[in-house]
Amino acid sequence: MTNSDINRYKDKAFQIFGIFCTLIGLVVLAVFLIDIAIDGISRIDWDFLTSLPSRRASSAGIYTAWAGTLWILVLTAVIAFPLGVGAAVYLEEYSRKTKLANFLEINIANLAGVPSIIYGLLGLEIFVRQMRLGGSLLAGALTLSLLILPIIIVTTRESIKAVPRSVRDGSYALGASKWQTIWNQVLPASFGGILTGIILALSRAVGEAAPLIVIGALAYVPFAPTTPLDEFTVLPIQIFNWTSRPQEAFLTNAAGAIIVLLCITFLLNGIAVYLRLRQQKKVKW
């Protein structure tokens, strides 16, 4: 048996092993989703979506939780979008390839893998204590913005890199400046990938509970927030609160809230996939 035959068998073995692991993961995920659906689908109705939290499981709802989640999602996007895209454009188009730039690039990539609770501790010290924002929506959005900024920067840079050099050269040949080329050619051409990365980053932020608990988000809020400085709760914290209760009825409520949270996450991921496919059809180099 030759070395090429051995390598071929190894490749097939790895492929079979990968397929097997994927199937196992899909089965586990399917069992989890089916179990959640069986427990929680009967609990989801209009009253459940529009009712305030309550000590009685039968009358408890998730209105304040999903309202807080929507606020956090919008504020985080408003803060992280310009900062992340701006930083990526600078690092990719303007920054010189020095040792400092390489150091920053490596650390930005590493920050994407830092546990989320570390960002919670950072947000607690900077936004809650130093800036005196307390456990407000704004403090939570700023903390989650720190969490997803590395992801946005990395994905935006990769999208900008995918734009061919010929697009830039053609723009320069027509007399456009560097900024005009970036604004009118590079960013529109890479916008699909940029938006996909931002939506996927927000999908991660919407499911986070640890950093928000650290900065002081409440488990019980009897009112929906109306300003960025209001106290708040979110769906992951509400789910955590209900699953810690001994009554079985609260576990049913938690299952219903999980279904709502999964719907939000799947919707965001579906939008990201649609935008990527649409951009791939629209732009052909």
Side-chain angles (χ1 to χ4, degrees):
M1 183 179 292
T2 63
N3 290 333
S4 60
D5 293 332
I6 295 175
N7 292 331
R8 191 180 304 111
Y9 287 129
K10 287 182 179 180
D11 291 339
K12 290 183 179 179
F14 279 119
Q15 290 177 1
I16 293 173
F17 179 74
I19 294 173
F20 176 76
C21 291
T22 302
L23 291 175
I24 292 296
L26 290 175
V27 170
V28 172
L29 179 61
V31 171
F32 169 75
L33 293 177
I34 292 172
D35 181 64
I36 293 296
I38 292 174
D39 292 339
I41 195 68
S42 60
R43 186 66 182 88
I44 298 177
D45 54 23
W46 184 250
D47 290 335
F48 182 69
L49 296 175
T50 58
S51 297
L52 298 175
S54 173
R55 295 179 180 178
R56 294 182 298 174
S58 59
S59 58
I62 59 171
Y63 174 63
T64 58
W66 71 255
T69 297
L70 184 61
W71 267 97
I72 283 289
L73 190 64
V74 173
L75 288 175
T76 302
V78 169
I79 296 169
F81 178 79
L83 291 177
V85 175
V89 170
Y90 172 77
L91 290 172
E92 189 61 33
E93 298 290 339
Y94 290 97
S95 177
R96 297 179 181 178
K97 304 304 179 182
T98 60
K99 291 183 179 180
L100 178 60
N102 293 332
F103 177 78
L104 290 175
E105 291 177 9
I106 293 172
N107 281 276
I108 288 173
N110 291 334
L111 285 173
V114 172
S116 60
I117 195 169
I118 304 299
Y119 289 99
L121 295 172
L122 182 63
L124 175 65
E125 180 60 29
I126 297 177
F127 305 126
V128 176
R129 294 176 179 173
Q130 299 298 327
M131 298 179 63
R132 301 183 183 277
L133 294 175
S136 64
L137 283 163
L138 185 57
L142 288 169
T143 302
L144 292 181
S145 296
L146 292 180
L147 174 66
I148 67 174
L149 266 178
I151 303 174
I152 294 177
I153 292 173
V154 171
T155 55
T156 300
R157 291 193 64 188
E158 292 300 321
S159 299
I160 292 174
K161 286 180 182 178
V163 178
R165 183 66 191 177
S166 59
V167 174
R168 297 173 174 84
D169 293 339
S171 180
Y172 294 145
L174 293 173
S177 65
K178 188 176 185 66
W179 171 245
Q180 288 174 330
T181 300
I182 293 172
W183 182 258
N184 295 315
Q185 301 298 328
V186 176
L187 287 179
S190 59
F191 186 71
I194 293 172
L195 200 56
T196 299
I198 292 172
I199 293 174
L200 293 178
L202 291 174
S203 298
R204 179 187 175 184
V206 79
E208 289 290 347
L212 298 179
I213 291 175
V214 171
I215 68 167
L218 303 178
Y220 176 80
V221 179
F223 56 86
T226 56
T227 69
L229 297 179
D230 287 344
E231 294 180 326
F232 71 101
T233 189
V234 290
L235 281 171
I237 295 178
Q238 185 67 73
I239 293 168
F240 171 76
N241 181 32
W242 280 339
T243 54
S244 62
R245 300 287 186 89
Q247 297 91 341
E248 185 176 353
F250 280 109
L251 297 179
T252 302
N253 287 354
I258 290 173
I259 293 175
V260 175
L261 182 60
L262 286 174
C263 289
I264 295 174
T265 305
F266 290 158
L267 177 62
L268 291 175
N269 282 271
I271 293 173
V273 172
Y274 169 76
L275 291 174
R276 178 172 289 275
L277 293 176
R278 181 180 178 182
Q279 186 69 14
Q280 289 176 349
K281 293 179 180 179
K282 183 178 179 180
V283 179
K284 295 182 180 180
W285 309 114

